[in-house]
Amino acid sequence: MSRNEIILILVTALYFIAGTMSSVFVNVYLYAFTGSLYAMTAYSMIRFSLFPLGFYLGGKLSRTWTLSRILTTGLIIIIAALALLLSINSFFVRQPLLIYSLAFIFGTGEGLFWFSINNLNLSVSSKESLPHFIGTLGITNSSAMVIAPFIASLIVKYASSDLSGYIRIFQIVIIVQMISAFLSTKIKLDKVVSAYTLKDKWNLKLDHQWRYIMISHFLLGVRDSLTLVLTGLLIYNATGGQGSLYGQLLTGFALINVAANFVASRIIKRHNRIHMYILGAIILFSSTVILVMVPNMIGAIYFGVSNAIGNPFFINPFSIIMMNAISDYSSNENINARMIMKELALDLGRVL
């Protein structure tokens, strides 16, 4: 792999370590203050609705900035949001609306981050190296997701209380994100200066491939909303609100996910990609249905195991198919517009 690919894998892995620790425990931490799944859903709606704004800003900045600089900026905003969470958490009980202000900052920073990551994934790899690159990303990211809950569960276990443990987690996350931000400055790519327009990308009638990309991302967003917003809290409730047990469960699920990613990277080929995609979708469908219908420890364990197994067989083919489809446009146009629009479709699904 190239130097840029290796650095990008390291940056993404560190982000997943920090992101897994923070996103899961930010939701649990804020849930401890609100005590309401409705409030947490509203928080997530605001956060997701800011992703397209981050992509739009990223597209504007890409005319004068490199993608690595935009990536660094997104990480700095995320760090600022975590620092703000630590500094104002004592006011959450009296002013619960402050929680929603965090959603604006997190959403914008994450939008910039994912705009640059999605573009960099295409820019640093070729169609020939993409399957290997995506497979390696899956293995390293799932490995990072083993480390994150394991460390987090130990921190919560030995803290004086769950809440003080969550605060210590956020402090460590800030350090990891700072390392990731530093590494992101080492990615060397020329900036894309060609103009683009969003207006014509709204028309889905003439280009069946673009219509497929947009509809697929919209439906993925609908599915994403459950896993990103509620399933973590449902598992947390199934543990009886025990933060350390919650972290141990996530560690076990992540270990299974590492093994599944390794298997997926070996058996998913061009000729069977669609079959693996369908298999992964069926497994993931069953996992969420069981968790919602059986919201206890049995349902939580079934969800975690089946989701860990099914996810690489669904996400890896989906990523390869979509990235290949979008890269088809790169020879004739600046694909930033398509990146912005497919993110809008994804987040419309999430918010809906």
Side-chain angles (χ1 to χ4, degrees):
M1 287 188 292
S2 68
R3 180 177 180 272
N4 280 338
E5 286 177 314
I6 293 171
I7 294 174
L8 190 59
I9 286 172
L10 287 173
V11 169
T12 309
L14 287 171
Y15 176 83
F16 266 82
I17 290 175
T20 301
M21 290 174 71
S22 64
S23 64
V24 170
F25 285 95
V26 162
N27 278 0
V28 171
Y29 181 68
L30 297 180
Y31 182 56
F33 287 103
T34 65
S36 168
L37 291 176
Y38 294 103
M40 293 311 302
T41 303
Y43 165 85
S44 298
M45 286 175 65
I46 295 170
R47 178 178 153 224
F48 295 146
S49 66
L50 267 292
F51 275 36
L53 174 63
F55 269 66
Y56 179 76
L57 291 175
K60 289 291 186 183
L61 290 171
S62 68
R63 296 177 179 178
T64 54
W65 290 10
T66 62
L67 288 171
S68 61
R69 187 178 178 186
I70 299 170
L71 175 60
T72 305
T73 302
L75 287 168
I76 290 172
I77 293 174
I78 293 170
I79 292 169
L82 288 165
L84 182 63
L85 184 149
L86 286 176
S87 62
I88 67 173
N89 65 79
S90 59
F91 299 101
F92 286 160
V93 175
R94 289 174 298 179
Q95 300 290 337
L97 290 178
L98 284 173
I99 289 172
Y100 301 122
S101 66
L102 289 172
F104 283 93
I105 306 172
F106 273 119
T108 304
E110 289 170 315
L112 286 171
F113 174 84
W114 286 112
F115 169 82
S116 49
I117 283 291
N118 289 346
N119 278 281
L120 284 166
N121 284 342
L122 281 173
S123 300
V124 303
S125 60
S126 63
K127 278 196 172 184
E128 291 72 29
S129 67
L130 186 59
H132 177 63
F133 177 66
I134 291 295
T136 306
L137 268 178
I139 293 170
T140 54
N141 291 347
S142 57
S143 299
M145 291 169 69
V146 173
I147 297 169
F150 176 72
I151 294 173
S153 63
L154 287 179
I155 292 170
V156 174
K157 182 178 180 179
Y158 292 107
S160 57
S161 68
D162 280 2
L163 283 178
S164 64
Y166 300 152
I167 291 173
R168 183 56 53 86
I169 287 170
F170 300 145
Q171 292 168 342
I172 294 172
V173 163
I174 288 173
I175 294 171
V176 175
Q177 293 285 36
M178 289 173 69
I179 297 171
S180 182
F182 171 75
L183 285 175
S184 69
T185 64
K186 304 300 179 182
I187 299 172
K188 304 299 181 185
L189 282 174
D190 296 330
K191 61 176 178 283
V192 180
V193 295
S194 56
Y196 64 85
T197 176
L198 299 175
K199 186 176 180 181
D200 61 324
K201 306 304 183 294
W202 289 103
N203 189 345
L204 306 182
K205 294 179 180 179
L206 302 178
D207 187 340
H208 74 277
Q209 178 165 287
W210 180 236
R211 182 168 64 250
Y212 172 71
I213 291 171
M214 290 291 283
I215 292 174
S216 296
H217 276 87
F218 175 79
L219 295 175
L220 181 68
V222 174
R223 183 256 170 189
D224 258 4
S225 64
L226 183 67
T227 57
L228 291 172
V229 180
L230 290 179
T231 53
L233 295 177
L234 288 172
I235 294 172
Y236 177 71
N237 280 340
T239 66
Q242 300 177 56
S244 59
L245 177 58
Y246 178 52
Q248 290 165 11
L249 277 178
L250 295 183
T251 302
F253 300 154
L255 281 169
I256 296 170
N257 187 242
V258 172
N261 265 288
F262 182 79
V263 173
S265 69
R266 294 293 184 272
I267 69 174
I268 296 176
K269 307 296 181 184
R270 186 177 183 86
H271 71 275
N272 66 2
R273 190 177 293 160
I274 296 297
H275 297 296
M276 296 295 100
Y277 186 28
I278 294 170
L279 173 64
I282 293 170
I283 295 172
L284 293 179
F285 171 78
S286 73
S287 71
T288 48
V289 169
I290 294 298
L291 177 62
V292 171
M293 295 184 69
V294 189
N296 54 29
M297 187 62 77
I298 295 173
I301 291 173
Y302 178 84
F303 169 83
V305 172
S306 57
N307 196 66
I309 293 171
N311 201 57
F313 291 93
F314 177 79
I315 292 298
N316 288 7
F318 179 87
S319 299
I320 294 169
I321 292 165
M322 293 303 158
M323 290 172 71
N324 281 337
I326 291 176
S327 68
D328 288 341
Y329 300 100
S330 60
S331 58
N332 300 317
E333 61 182 77
N334 184 336
I335 60 171
N336 283 348
R338 296 191 185 274
M339 288 293 189
I340 294 169
M341 291 302 294
K342 64 99 175 167
E343 181 65 24
L344 179 62
L346 179 68
D347 289 306
L348 283 174
R350 287 171 172 171
V351 173
L352 176 67

